[in-house]
Amino acid sequence: MSMNSFGHLFRVTTWGESHGPALGATVDGCPPGVAIDEGMIQHWLDKRKPGQNKFTTQRREADEVKIMSGVFEGQTTGTPVQLMIENTDQRSKDYGDIMDKFRPGHADITYWQKYGIRDYRGGGRSSARETAARVAAGGLAREAIKQIAPNVQIIGYMSQIGPHKIDRENFDWSQIEQNPFWTPDAQAAEDWAAYLDDLRKSGNSVGAVVEVVARGVPAGIGAPVYAKLDTDLAAAMMSINAVKGVEIGEGMAAAELTGDANADEIFMGQNGPQYSSNHAGGILGGISTGQDVVVRFAVKPTSSILTTRKTITKSGEETEIITKGRHDPCVGIRAVPVGEAMMACVILDHLLLHRGQIGENRGQIG
Amino acid sequence: MSMNSFGHLFRVTTWGESHGPALGATVDGCPPGVAIDEGMIQHWLDKRKPGQNKFTTQRREADEVKIMSGVFEGQTTGTPVQLMIENTDQRSKDYGDIMDKFRPGHADITYWQKYGIRDYRGGGRSSARETAARVAAGGLAREAIKQIAPNVQIIGYMSQIGPHKIDRENFDWSQIEQNPFWTPDAQAAEDWAAYLDDLRKSGNSVGAVVEVVARGVPAGIGAPVYAKLDTDLAAAMMSINAVKGVEIGEGMAAAELTGDANADEIFMGQNGPQYSSNHAGGILGGISTGQDVVVRFAVKPTSSILTTRKTITKSGEETEIITKGRHDPCVGIRAVPVGEAMMACVILDHLLLHRGQIGENRGQIG
Amino acid sequence: MSMNSFGHLFRVTTWGESHGPALGATVDGCPPGVAIDEGMIQHWLDKRKPGQNKFTTQRREADEVKIMSGVFEGQTTGTPVQLMIENTDQRSKDYGDIMDKFRPGHADITYWQKYGIRDYRGGGRSSARETAARVAAGGLAREAIKQIAPNVQIIGYMSQIGPHKIDRENFDWSQIEQNPFWTPDAQAAEDWAAYLDDLRKSGNSVGAVVEVVARGVPAGIGAPVYAKLDTDLAAAMMSINAVKGVEIGEGMAAAELTGDANADEIFMGQNGPQYSSNHAGGILGGISTGQDVVVRFAVKPTSSILTTRKTITKSGEETEIITKGRHDPCVGIRAVPVGEAMMACVILDHLLLHRGQIGENRGQIG
Amino acid sequence: MSMNSFGHLFRVTTWGESHGPALGATVDGCPPGVAIDEGMIQHWLDKRKPGQNKFTTQRREADEVKIMSGVFEGQTTGTPVQLMIENTDQRSKDYGDIMDKFRPGHADITYWQKYGIRDYRGGGRSSARETAARVAAGGLAREAIKQIAPNVQIIGYMSQIGPHKIDRENFDWSQIEQNPFWTPDAQAAEDWAAYLDDLRKSGNSVGAVVEVVARGVPAGIGAPVYAKLDTDLAAAMMSINAVKGVEIGEGMAAAELTGDANADEIFMGQNGPQYSSNHAGGILGGISTGQDVVVRFAVKPTSSILTTRKTITKSGEETEIITKGRHDPCVGIRAVPVGEAMMACVILDHLLLHRGQIGENRGQIG
């Protein structure tokens, strides 16, 4: 019952603080025989890496991953894979302000209330830097998925920033890699750039919505009634720093629909069942339908802003704080590869679990 | 790694099918010395019971709970508590239609694809009847919470039905018990009654949003970074039948806020920290702040409606189906006590977990 | 993290007290499509049932199992299987003596010290009656194993009673079913009968050693380094009431061997590797070799004897106790089907786990 | 459900191979505020380190531990503690022989059969080198125990080597640190030295029995019925490389006792219940009695000996192998600190668990 772990058979434990010697992911349960090297994982870490454009923090972190165990001659062996990222920049800084004051919107105060001690440097364990370990684990999961379900594709993108949503009419998969927001709507990318630039200059921040889609997931994975595919995805996404809401398929909007509008009717296609629509987000009763698995999550605005906020100190005195330093005006951007990584881990986990529960056979239709 | 279980130290495993001999909850980890009897649990089951007004299904189920173990002379002993509900009405029916056809929006097709066998009677394991077991477990959790954190209060209510939201200006806690929707907005209750009556007569259904609040939760419970209080709540709520989205505090709307609008500023009150607002929903970094813990979830419209829908049979032939019988026009209503039960289980679990992790002491402020 | 559960994918949670309304096993993770009915499980319960000969307690318990969920039209559906045994004989008795006094060698005192409350009737949760639920779960596991690894056979027997061991020269599998000790040594069975009869008449009891063998287990199951096949077997057997030692293969005697005497040399047989001996008990590095898996455990003598023993009361007064009633002179006898049940559950669990970890393929030799 | 993890609330995941870049332990659930530094952990690693006398392998491994996370300003913070030991000596060697041949008594063949790939260098993951990570975790556990139950002392020693047992009459705690066998019997230490010297020179090896005692454990810890203190100890010890048997208290010898000889009678002492003897090994019904917790385990002789043994190759050809190199003639010696470490982890885990289950209060006697 490790609180820093997730997954059933593909089990990821992350460890490490923002400003400690290193952080990483101890990955247990990766199947043997998966071809992997550090470059394949680095690819995804680079996607998350800060400082790549003016919309992400200008801090420089190498985020270079090292495989410390579980891989032999280029293949996983079935033993734990330790993925470690050393914190290269740990020089002593003046943390005076955040050492004693609790930053509003951050976990400073609750870590203190829970533990009575906290590593305040850069947020310590509660820093979004922890997500680098998830992205590393997700990179490994992606390669393992190829072995078991080679048709699976996992793609994340931003679908909203502040009040500005993408226009679904403009949705173009090929655009996602073409803009700093990983958004499929080229027009939105342009508009958002201007909007975010203004925000950044004013020292403010804004929230966002990230959507992650898994395509090609075979029907039948998921484990009712408490390790449902959607349950595990909701937990996975909600565990990401700053996430405040998670939706599957229609999501919160399902509340507004009537039964006849919401039903995804079923037809018989060449390769099995087909559906008239995907309100369900590819999941019924916690089990995949074979349609796209669609998850969406809201990321709150960065709490580190250049406006003075009221707060208290450890000793209970009222005071003010302003969070200096270079921060992401919209952490939602860098949450895209994190969401993808979580999706990859959950999908792999359920592919393995299904095999353990059922073997390779399952109910055939037609 | 039971797939039909949830919770860390207060661990609930539900079992049983809609039309089998019985269903129930095997509850492990309930603290000893909790005063409990069947009536205290029955109270909550009666809240969920169908047939109480015209807005819920007219089926009659006694839903009578029996305590089969773990209680001695009116107190829990620390051993597993078995809560069993016999299915009184199992008479043989003509299930011909749903035996071979998959109902759109139901788990019929995915259970078949996963398992290659399914108990089609009333949805079998995927029936919402399973939530009765959760409500029973939640009733026990509520009594255990009283022992550990007597100030905690858990209250659920409907905040939206179809497109109609409550008016927050009308919010009145005392109204919740006064109307069939358990809504705090008396005006909404009236309007919704008319709206839902029309829907019901037309054989249609509609979605809803349920909000559950835990008041009086001490600061410091929750377990970062993957057993966060919000993570566990998201999983708990998403595991309820028909739920498609979960929000904490500001929820999906957090995407639209700027950093200065979203920050909950901190002050020093008589009994510890106070906040200017509760965008965070009482949770920072996965740990409770001491504010109200606020969770919201969307329930999709009942898929069983009186409109003919296209579907396929087990052998892959295209056909049509109409789901006869008496169904809830809005399952969201009966989801209120279920959401409360899940909240109670999660809060108790984290109260116990905190004690195991930290003991009774924690960081003091002021 | 249920404390009353064991198993990874085939997960068994037992519940119930000796003199409560019922006890049972909630079995999660049983594969779908296993043909099962109550009679197939009852067969194994009858083997454990008391009162079958003069060497077991003369209490009469029907121990009739009911399948309450998870089975449809004679097959498991992949959902939790609830196996319930009602306690038919719960009439009120005079428990005065054990209500306040702690029986030496029993868990009376420690349950009190842990929980501050205990169901003293018949030992409550700590009664060996709990093993009936294990035997029921084991009966289901046996049928599930047939589906996955049909060559597996699980056989338990007594190999020692008090100081009297079987003569391995007399070992005859066909004798096991022919005597009340389930021992493969016909001569021992005769000698033990006389020995135990004397003990029984004097109101004393004695310990025993039970050996359980799983034959036909495929090579390659087990999960290093903490869910090793031998680790899980050791835990499973040690969890049985009154067990004080567990051995794999050579067991404690391995301490006395030199390296050259202990090595099981490897040859190449028709169907794969063969070994010159089986000191390892069929397990190397926590993974099965394909040889017989051999586990042995020692059961202490029944603590309920007709000799007066010194003890204390709940309030700390020194006193004496004599445990009246009809008890087993050697609980080791009825531990044989319990050991078999635990072996069956562990083997099934690891067969499923291997499939989840590796799929059907593994390293081929030759 | 990580297979490379153990513990409920104090959860240890080990990772790493014998000849990979590093190995370590990811420790989750360590309470906050435990004073710790690398030196305090190194102390225990040095006890296990090879090459300290002629009875242990002459290989030189620095086994230097680094704390990579979870500690801030000399105290644990409640977040995961990563303990890493880099493998300093990984130079390329000629592994030709063991690359293709399976060493009898080693896990070479079963890892191959399970995974279809194995890191054969020094045994890879199945090397006893993995136990260094356990010892590191145990060092941390010892410090955490001091915070919760400062009277607990954990002491291991050898009680048998080959056929030679200690004389209990000679038992002297103060001798344990005085001889290379960590044995409390000074005479035995002398005799064993001569015996083992002969064995070593002949290139042979021998088994041993290690006993580990936890003194000062409060009554009431343990969690029936499947996470019993003895169950968890049995699993913990059986998971150590080369262990073939585990005993609690009287152990296998309990089989030979009669009920009147085996009962530990109860008296009332100054500070609570006292017992006339400790056949139970400090555990009744899986819960501690407050007496010494006594565990014993048998370690088989090192399989790496200088005698030629018959085996097969990966391609199934029969051949012979001789395991060159410098090996421990009795791995039991270095198993002493490993057994202590496992005891420390299990005791801490159950101290935390008890707090989570019960809080600080429990049943008082007298």
Side-chain angles (χ1 to χ4, degrees):
Chain A
M1 198 181 64
S2 167
M3 300 306 151
N4 290 272
S5 302
F6 67 95
H8 305 279
L9 286 176
F10 184 79
R11 190 140 175 95
V12 177
T13 305
T14 72
W15 55 273
E17 278 77 37
S18 174
H19 285 63
L23 54 81
T26 310
V27 183
D28 199 5
C30 186
V34 175
I36 193 79
D37 62 28
E38 284 153 354
M40 293 155 91
I41 294 173
Q42 195 63 48
H43 173 78
W44 302 105
L45 277 166
D46 288 348
K47 185 168 179 182
R48 178 198 163 280
K49 203 165 62 175
Q52 303 203 105
N53 59 58
K54 64 182 169 182
F55 303 119
T56 58
T57 172
Q58 297 307 300
R59 270 176 289 123
R60 294 285 164 187
E61 294 156 351
D63 278 1
E64 196 181 322
V65 68
K66 287 184 188 168
I67 299 175
M68 304 299 280
S69 67
V71 176
F72 183 61
E73 298 182 343
Q75 288 194 314
T76 57
T77 61
T79 63
V81 179
Q82 181 60 260
L83 302 170
M84 185 169 77
I85 299 162
E86 285 173 285
N87 289 322
T88 47
D89 182 9
Q90 308 173 51
R91 39 188 176 159
S92 173
K93 289 183 198 160
D94 174 16
Y95 292 102
D97 221 28
I98 61 170
M99 182 169 76
D100 290 319
K101 295 180 184 178
F102 303 118
R103 295 168 298 165
H106 281 278
D108 298 350
I109 191 168
T110 51
Y111 268 66
W112 176 257
Q113 286 177 305
K114 182 173 192 75
Y115 297 112
I117 178 176
R118 73 190 173 96
D119 180 348
Y120 48 76
R121 301 167 304 166
R125 180 71 182 148
S126 73
S127 166
R129 197 158 158 56
E130 182 267 346
T131 59
R134 305 180 186 219
V135 171
L140 177 58
R142 282 179 184 267
E143 299 305 318
I145 289 171
K146 285 183 191 167
Q147 196 191 59
I148 299 170
N151 293 332
V152 172
Q153 271 188 296
I154 291 165
I155 308 159
Y157 45 87
M158 272 179 64
S159 62
Q160 181 180 342
I161 187 166
H164 307 295
K165 301 184 183 184
I166 57 169
D167 182 344
R168 297 275 162 178
E169 303 280 313
N170 292 347
F171 198 107
D172 178 353
W173 292 102
S174 70
Q175 284 298 318
I176 294 174
E177 299 279 333
Q178 310 299 322
N179 61 74
F181 303 103
W182 291 296
T183 182
D185 175 351
Q187 183 59 52
E190 269 186 53
D191 300 345
W192 297 355
Y195 169 76
L196 198 57
D197 216 28
D198 285 352
L199 261 174
R200 185 178 59 81
K201 285 173 185 157
S202 69
N204 210 339
S205 63
V206 75
V209 174
V210 173
E211 202 164 280
V212 185
V213 178
R215 321 194 75 185
V217 174
I221 75 166
V225 295
Y226 297 112
K228 286 174 172 170
L229 187 52
D230 35 358
T231 301
D232 282 2
L233 285 169
M237 300 311 172
M238 192 64 93
S239 76
I240 300 172
N241 309 49
V243 171
K244 300 305 287 181
V246 181
E247 302 185 318
I248 305 290
E250 200 64 38
M252 298 304 290
E256 307 196 10
L257 293 183
T258 54
D260 52 2
N262 185 60
D264 301 316
E265 292 181 291
I266 316 176
F267 301 88
M268 196 63 198
Q270 290 287 64
N271 303 306
Q274 299 293 325
Y275 294 82
S276 63
S277 51
N278 189 13
H279 295 288
I283 304 173
L284 284 173
I287 305 172
S288 61
T289 61
Q291 294 175 278
D292 285 1
V293 175
V294 181
V295 183
R296 210 173 301 106
F297 57 92
V299 183
K300 73 177 183 181
T302 320
S303 300
S304 301
I305 50 174
L306 295 182
T307 315
T308 302
R309 312 306 300 170
K310 297 202 166 100
T311 189
I312 61 174
T313 66
K314 272 194 337 189
S315 51
E317 284 156 40
E318 297 193 340
T319 181
E320 294 190 328
I321 193 165
I322 180 163
T323 315
K324 295 170 211 137
R326 291 166 296 183
H327 294 281
D328 288 275
C330 177
V331 279
I333 301 174
R334 290 172 60 210
V336 172
V338 180
E340 289 177 329
M342 298 310 279
M343 174 69 97
C345 291
V346 171
I347 294 291
L348 173 60
D349 192 29
H350 276 279
L351 286 166
L352 297 173
L353 205 48
H354 180 77
R355 229 166 43 176
Q357 297 166 317
I358 312 291
E360 298 299 337
N361 304 313
R362 56 178 160 263
Q364 298 303 316
I365 293 174
Chain B
M1 198 182 63
S2 166
M3 300 306 150
N4 289 274
S5 302
F6 68 94
H8 305 280
L9 286 176
F10 184 78
R11 190 144 174 92
V12 177
T13 304
T14 72
W15 55 271
E17 278 77 37
S18 173
H19 285 63
L23 53 81
T26 309
V27 182
D28 200 6
C30 185
V34 175
I36 193 80
D37 62 26
E38 283 153 356
M40 294 155 92
I41 294 173
Q42 193 64 47
H43 173 80
W44 302 105
L45 276 167
D46 288 347
K47 185 168 178 181
R48 180 200 161 276
K49 202 163 66 176
Q52 304 201 104
N53 59 56
K54 64 182 171 183
F55 304 121
T56 58
T57 170
Q58 296 307 300
R59 269 176 288 124
R60 295 284 164 188
E61 294 158 349
D63 278 2
E64 195 182 324
V65 70
K66 288 184 188 168
I67 299 176
M68 304 298 282
S69 67
V71 175
F72 182 60
E73 296 182 345
Q75 288 196 314
T76 57
T77 60
T79 62
V81 180
Q82 180 61 259
L83 302 170
M84 184 170 77
I85 299 162
E86 285 173 285
N87 289 322
T88 46
D89 182 10
Q90 307 172 51
R91 41 190 171 154
S92 175
K93 287 184 198 160
D94 174 16
Y95 291 103
D97 221 29
I98 63 170
M99 182 169 78
D100 290 319
K101 295 179 182 178
F102 303 119
R103 293 169 298 166
H106 281 278
D108 299 348
I109 190 167
T110 52
Y111 267 65
W112 175 258
Q113 286 177 307
K114 183 172 192 75
Y115 297 112
I117 177 176
R118 73 190 172 97
D119 181 347
Y120 47 78
R121 299 168 306 167
R125 181 70 182 150
S126 73
S127 165
R129 199 157 157 57
E130 184 269 344
T131 60
R134 306 181 186 219
V135 171
L140 177 59
R142 281 178 184 266
E143 298 306 317
I145 289 171
K146 285 183 191 165
Q147 194 189 62
I148 301 171
N151 292 331
V152 171
Q153 271 189 295
I154 291 165
I155 307 159
Y157 45 86
M158 271 180 66
S159 62
Q160 181 179 343
I161 186 166
H164 307 295
K165 301 184 184 185
I166 57 169
D167 182 344
R168 297 274 162 180
E169 303 282 313
N170 293 345
F171 198 108
D172 179 353
W173 291 102
S174 70
Q175 284 298 318
I176 294 175
E177 299 279 332
Q178 310 299 322
N179 61 74
F181 303 104
W182 290 297
T183 183
D185 175 351
Q187 182 59 51
E190 268 185 56
D191 300 344
W192 296 357
Y195 170 75
L196 198 56
D197 216 27
D198 286 351
L199 261 175
R200 186 178 57 81
K201 285 174 186 159
S202 70
N204 210 341
S205 64
V206 74
V209 174
V210 173
E211 203 163 280
V212 185
V213 177
R215 321 193 75 183
V217 174
I221 74 165
V225 295
Y226 296 114
K228 286 175 171 168
L229 187 53
D230 37 356
T231 301
D232 281 1
L233 285 170
M237 299 310 172
M238 192 63 94
S239 76
I240 300 172
N241 307 49
V243 171
K244 301 305 288 182
V246 181
E247 303 186 318
I248 304 291
E250 200 62 41
M252 298 303 293
E256 306 196 11
L257 294 181
T258 56
D260 51 5
N262 185 60
D264 301 317
E265 290 181 293
I266 316 177
F267 301 89
M268 197 61 197
Q270 291 287 66
N271 302 307
Q274 297 293 327
Y275 295 82
S276 62
S277 50
N278 190 12
H279 296 289
I283 304 172
L284 283 174
I287 304 173
S288 61
T289 62
Q291 297 174 274
D292 285 0
V293 174
V294 182
V295 183
R296 210 174 302 105
F297 58 90
V299 183
K300 72 177 185 184
T302 321
S303 299
S304 300
I305 48 174
L306 294 183
T307 316
T308 302
R309 311 306 299 171
K310 294 202 168 105
T311 190
I312 60 173
T313 66
K314 274 194 338 189
S315 51
E317 284 156 40
E318 299 194 339
T319 180
E320 294 190 328
I321 194 165
I322 181 162
T323 315
K324 295 170 211 138
R326 289 165 297 181
H327 295 281
D328 288 273
C330 176
V331 279
I333 302 174
R334 291 172 60 211
V336 172
V338 181
E340 289 177 328
M342 298 309 282
M343 175 71 95
C345 291
V346 171
I347 294 292
L348 173 60
D349 191 31
H350 276 280
L351 285 166
L352 297 174
L353 205 48
H354 180 78
R355 226 166 46 174
Q357 295 166 318
I358 311 292
E360 298 299 337
N361 304 312
R362 53 179 162 264
Q364 298 303 317
I365 293 174
Chain C
M1 199 182 61
S2 166
M3 300 306 151
N4 289 275
S5 302
F6 68 95
H8 305 279
L9 286 176
F10 184 78
R11 191 144 175 91
V12 177
T13 304
T14 72
W15 55 273
E17 278 78 35
S18 174
H19 286 63
L23 53 80
T26 310
V27 183
D28 198 6
C30 186
V34 175
I36 193 80
D37 63 30
E38 284 154 356
M40 294 154 92
I41 293 173
Q42 194 63 48
H43 173 79
W44 302 105
L45 277 167
D46 288 346
K47 185 168 179 182
R48 179 197 163 281
K49 201 165 62 177
Q52 304 203 102
N53 60 57
K54 64 183 170 182
F55 304 120
T56 56
T57 173
Q58 297 306 301
R59 267 176 293 122
R60 297 281 164 188
E61 293 158 352
D63 279 2
E64 196 182 321
V65 69
K66 287 184 188 167
I67 299 175
M68 303 299 281
S69 66
V71 175
F72 182 62
E73 297 183 342
Q75 289 195 314
T76 58
T77 60
T79 63
V81 180
Q82 180 60 259
L83 302 170
M84 184 170 77
I85 299 163
E86 284 172 285
N87 289 322
T88 47
D89 182 10
Q90 305 174 55
R91 49 197 162 148
S92 174
K93 288 184 200 161
D94 173 16
Y95 291 102
D97 221 30
I98 61 171
M99 181 169 77
D100 288 320
K101 296 179 182 179
F102 302 119
R103 293 167 299 164
H106 280 280
D108 298 349
I109 190 167
T110 51
Y111 268 66
W112 176 257
Q113 287 177 306
K114 183 173 191 77
Y115 297 111
I117 178 176
R118 73 189 172 96
D119 180 348
Y120 46 78
R121 300 167 305 166
R125 181 69 183 148
S126 73
S127 166
R129 199 157 158 57
E130 182 267 345
T131 60
R134 305 181 187 218
V135 171
L140 176 59
R142 281 179 185 265
E143 299 306 317
I145 289 171
K146 284 184 191 167
Q147 193 189 61
I148 300 171
N151 292 330
V152 171
Q153 272 188 294
I154 291 165
I155 308 160
Y157 45 86
M158 272 179 64
S159 63
Q160 182 180 342
I161 186 167
H164 307 295
K165 300 184 182 183
I166 56 168
D167 182 346
R168 297 274 163 179
E169 301 282 312
N170 293 345
F171 197 108
D172 179 353
W173 293 102
S174 70
Q175 285 298 319
I176 294 173
E177 299 278 334
Q178 310 298 323
N179 61 75
F181 303 103
W182 290 297
T183 182
D185 175 350
Q187 183 58 52
E190 268 184 51
D191 300 346
W192 296 358
Y195 169 76
L196 198 57
D197 216 26
D198 285 352
L199 262 173
R200 184 177 58 82
K201 286 173 185 160
S202 70
N204 209 340
S205 64
V206 74
V209 174
V210 173
E211 203 164 281
V212 185
V213 178
R215 322 194 75 185
V217 174
I221 74 166
V225 298
Y226 297 114
K228 285 175 172 169
L229 187 53
D230 36 358
T231 301
D232 281 1
L233 284 170
M237 299 310 171
M238 193 64 95
S239 77
I240 300 172
N241 307 50
V243 171
K244 300 305 287 183
V246 181
E247 303 186 319
I248 304 291
E250 200 63 40
M252 298 304 291
E256 307 196 11
L257 294 181
T258 55
D260 51 4
N262 185 59
D264 302 316
E265 291 181 293
I266 315 175
F267 300 88
M268 196 61 197
Q270 291 287 66
N271 303 309
Q274 298 293 326
Y275 295 82
S276 63
S277 50
N278 189 12
H279 296 288
I283 303 173
L284 284 173
I287 304 172
S288 61
T289 63
Q291 295 175 275
D292 285 0
V293 174
V294 181
V295 183
R296 209 174 301 107
F297 59 90
V299 183
K300 72 176 184 183
T302 321
S303 299
S304 300
I305 50 174
L306 296 183
T307 315
T308 302
R309 313 305 301 169
K310 296 203 167 102
T311 190
I312 60 173
T313 65
K314 274 193 338 188
S315 52
E317 285 155 39
E318 297 194 342
T319 182
E320 294 190 328
I321 194 165
I322 180 163
T323 316
K324 294 171 213 136
R326 291 165 295 182
H327 294 282
D328 288 274
C330 177
V331 278
I333 301 174
R334 291 173 58 211
V336 171
V338 181
E340 290 177 329
M342 298 308 282
M343 175 70 96
C345 290
V346 172
I347 294 291
L348 173 60
D349 192 30
H350 276 280
L351 285 167
L352 297 174
L353 205 47
H354 179 77
R355 228 166 43 175
Q357 297 166 315
I358 310 293
E360 299 298 337
N361 303 313
R362 53 178 163 265
Q364 297 303 317
I365 293 174
Chain D
M1 199 182 64
S2 166
M3 301 305 149
N4 289 274
S5 302
F6 68 95
H8 305 279
L9 285 177
F10 184 78
R11 190 147 174 91
V12 178
T13 305
T14 72
W15 55 272
E17 278 78 36
S18 174
H19 286 64
L23 54 81
T26 310
V27 183
D28 198 7
C30 186
V34 176
I36 193 78
D37 64 26
E38 283 153 355
M40 294 156 92
I41 293 173
Q42 193 64 46
H43 173 79
W44 301 106
L45 277 167
D46 288 349
K47 185 168 177 181
R48 179 200 162 278
K49 202 164 64 175
Q52 304 202 103
N53 60 56
K54 65 183 170 183
F55 304 120
T56 57
T57 172
Q58 296 307 300
R59 268 174 294 123
R60 297 283 164 189
E61 294 158 350
D63 278 0
E64 197 182 321
V65 68
K66 288 184 187 165
I67 297 174
M68 305 298 282
S69 67
V71 176
F72 181 62
E73 296 182 344
Q75 289 195 314
T76 57
T77 59
T79 63
V81 180
Q82 180 60 258
L83 302 170
M84 185 171 75
I85 300 162
E86 284 172 285
N87 289 322
T88 48
D89 182 10
Q90 308 173 52
R91 55 204 153 140
S92 174
K93 287 183 199 163
D94 175 13
Y95 290 104
D97 222 27
I98 60 169
M99 182 169 78
D100 290 319
K101 294 179 184 179
F102 302 118
R103 294 169 298 165
H106 281 279
D108 299 350
I109 190 167
T110 51
Y111 268 66
W112 176 257
Q113 286 177 306
K114 183 173 191 76
Y115 296 111
I117 177 175
R118 72 191 173 95
D119 180 348
Y120 48 77
R121 300 167 306 166
R125 180 70 182 147
S126 72
S127 167
R129 200 160 156 55
E130 182 268 344
T131 60
R134 304 180 187 219
V135 171
L140 176 59
R142 281 178 184 269
E143 299 306 318
I145 289 172
K146 283 183 192 166
Q147 194 190 62
I148 301 171
N151 293 330
V152 171
Q153 271 189 295
I154 290 164
I155 308 159
Y157 44 86
M158 269 179 67
S159 63
Q160 181 180 341
I161 186 166
H164 307 295
K165 300 183 181 184
I166 57 169
D167 182 346
R168 297 274 162 178
E169 303 282 312
N170 294 345
F171 198 108
D172 179 354
W173 294 102
S174 71
Q175 285 297 319
I176 294 173
E177 298 279 332
Q178 309 298 322
N179 61 73
F181 303 104
W182 291 297
T183 182
D185 175 352
Q187 183 58 51
E190 268 185 53
D191 300 344
W192 296 358
Y195 168 76
L196 198 57
D197 217 27
D198 285 352
L199 261 175
R200 185 179 58 81
K201 284 173 185 160
S202 69
N204 210 340
S205 64
V206 74
V209 174
V210 173
E211 204 164 279
V212 184
V213 178
R215 321 193 76 187
V217 174
I221 74 166
V225 296
Y226 296 113
K228 287 176 169 167
L229 187 52
D230 36 358
T231 301
D232 281 2
L233 285 170
M237 300 310 172
M238 192 62 94
S239 77
I240 301 172
N241 309 48
V243 171
K244 301 304 286 182
V246 181
E247 301 185 319
I248 304 292
E250 200 63 40
M252 297 305 291
E256 307 196 11
L257 294 180
T258 55
D260 52 4
N262 185 60
D264 301 316
E265 291 181 292
I266 316 176
F267 302 89
M268 196 63 198
Q270 290 287 65
N271 302 307
Q274 297 294 325
Y275 295 83
S276 62
S277 51
N278 190 11
H279 295 289
I283 303 173
L284 284 173
I287 304 172
S288 60
T289 62
Q291 295 175 276
D292 286 0
V293 175
V294 182
V295 183
R296 212 173 300 107
F297 58 89
V299 183
K300 72 177 185 182
T302 322
S303 300
S304 301
I305 50 174
L306 295 183
T307 315
T308 302
R309 310 307 299 169
K310 296 203 166 102
T311 191
I312 60 173
T313 65
K314 273 194 338 190
S315 52
E317 284 157 38
E318 297 194 340
T319 180
E320 294 189 327
I321 194 165
I322 181 163
T323 316
K324 294 172 212 136
R326 292 164 297 181
H327 294 282
D328 287 276
C330 177
V331 279
I333 301 173
R334 292 173 59 211
V336 172
V338 181
E340 289 177 328
M342 298 309 281
M343 176 69 96
C345 292
V346 171
I347 294 292
L348 173 60
D349 191 29
H350 276 279
L351 286 166
L352 297 173
L353 205 47
H354 180 77
R355 228 166 43 177
Q357 296 167 316
I358 311 292
E360 299 297 337
N361 304 313
R362 54 178 160 265
Q364 298 303 317
I365 293 175

